[in-house]
Amino acid sequence: MRLILNLLLGLLFGLGLIVSGMSNPAKVLNFLDIAAIARGTWDASLAFVMGGALVVTFIGYRLVFRRPQPLLADTFHVPTKTRLDLAIIVGPAIFGIGWGIAGFCPGPAITDLAVGGQPALIFVAAMMVGMAIARLAPRLIKSA
Amino acid sequence: MPATEFTPLVSLAGGAMIGLSAVLMMLLNGRIAGISGIASQLLPPGRSGDTLGRAAFVLGLVLAPFLVLWTTGHGPDITVTTGTTGLVISGLLVGLGTVVGNGCTSGHGVCGLARLSRRSMVAVVTFMATAMITAFILRHIVGVV
């Protein structure tokens, strides 16, 4: 039951990405290319994706957090770190460069995996390698 | 680069679906719906907690286009203009950056901003800026796409 619910959550998230157009890298790049504003060819759709997602999540979270605990787990696992450090600038800066090259971020890339042909497969494979390196590196440095 | 149509209404609706999934994820599992976290924690080392649940969520993402194909008769538009080298570099950077920065467009951009997290606000401003600068340089200075 729990696994089916998680699968349905993934399905809903993926459908949202497809319906909104965010699963199309060309649409993402046409949003990121702000020089297109001056030319009148800018695709502002992604601002609406973010807006729609944010409004629902902002209100929904406030309703959910009135509960003492989630339905299928003992506690809420919400990040507790509030301090701004180097990693919260460097990490997103690197991510943004990668996002700006091809227009793929993790959700759309995984959603496109089975239907996006070779580009989606290559991107996701490289992304998983990058994730593995970033997860392994601190351990290797510690054990060296 | 092929032009894409401005689609405010369906984009808003799709965004709302993403938000609903994030809210239900918190209601059911008590967790942030951050795709980079869900995907990267399927990898060793130190898998934490509910690996099967995360794998089921990822499977749902992968199956979503088939549901669209099945109900509408045509799959999603996916246009990629980046070559193999660009895709490899971009994938590596996205993988590295999201693990170092603890989140991506969903974890920071949707869930983090909805929690009014200061770290997520810094993350979102930073990745939007570097993504826009990168797209600008590649399109208008290097001229590759």
Side-chain angles (χ1 to χ4, degrees):
Chain A
M1 186 61 188
R2 195 180 49 85
L3 289 183
I4 293 171
L5 285 173
N6 275 301
L7 187 135
L8 291 175
L9 286 182
L11 205 56
L12 178 61
F13 200 104
L15 287 177
L17 288 171
I18 294 167
V19 169
S20 66
M22 207 164 165
S23 58
N24 187 1
K27 199 166 173 68
V28 174
L29 289 178
N30 284 343
F31 171 77
L32 292 175
D33 180 13
I34 46 171
I37 296 174
R39 278 197 223 117
T41 56
W42 188 49
D43 186 348
S45 307
L46 248 65
F48 288 77
V49 185
M50 286 286 274
L54 258 177
V55 168
V56 171
T57 312
F58 184 85
I59 297 168
Y61 269 8
R62 266 140 200 85
L63 297 174
V64 170
F65 289 141
R66 287 187 191 168
R67 298 180 48 85
Q69 65 186 78
L71 292 174
L72 303 177
D74 296 333
T75 49
F76 289 109
H77 296 271
V78 174
T80 48
K81 217 185 209 181
T82 54
R83 200 171 59 87
L84 299 177
D85 50 18
L86 199 59
I88 202 63
I89 303 212
V90 173
I94 295 170
F95 160 50
I97 294 170
W99 191 30
I101 294 175
F104 271 128
C105 57
I110 294 173
T111 303
D112 291 353
L113 189 60
V115 294
Q118 234 180 0
L121 288 170
I122 293 168
F123 178 89
V124 171
M127 179 179 84
M128 296 310 267
V129 170
M131 286 176 167
I133 292 171
R135 282 168 64 79
L136 283 165
R139 296 209 167 191
L140 295 177
I141 292 165
K142 256 180 225 164
S143 62
Chain B
M1 173 57 64
T4 49
E5 199 191 335
F6 176 48
T7 53
L9 287 181
V10 287
S11 287
L12 199 64
M17 292 165 74
I18 294 168
L20 183 62
S21 175
V23 172
L24 292 174
M25 171 71 91
M26 189 57 79
L27 176 67
L28 295 172
N29 299 324
R31 291 195 181 267
I32 297 287
I35 309 302
S36 63
I38 291 171
S40 69
Q41 285 172 56
L42 288 174
L43 300 168
R47 292 197 188 107
S48 59
D50 187 15
T51 304
L52 271 181
R54 275 193 285 269
F57 182 91
V58 169
L59 182 64
L61 282 181
V62 174
L63 292 179
F66 295 100
L67 187 63
V68 171
L69 185 64
W70 182 53
T71 51
T72 67
H74 54 88
D77 292 332
I78 303 170
T79 309
V80 182
T81 48
T82 313
T84 303
T85 313
L87 286 168
V88 170
I89 294 170
S90 133
L92 283 171
L93 294 176
V94 168
L96 283 170
T98 52
V99 169
V100 172
N102 260 310
C104 57
T105 340
S106 50
H108 285 309
V110 177
C111 302
L113 291 188
R115 293 190 308 114
L116 302 177
S117 152
R118 203 161 56 115
R119 282 172 59 84
S120 290
M121 290 177 199
V122 171
V124 173
V125 169
T126 308
F127 69 62
M128 289 303 298
T130 57
M132 285 174 169
I133 292 166
T134 305
F136 181 84
I137 292 173
L138 288 179
R139 278 192 177 185
H140 304 291
I141 297 176
V142 183
V144 287
V145 275

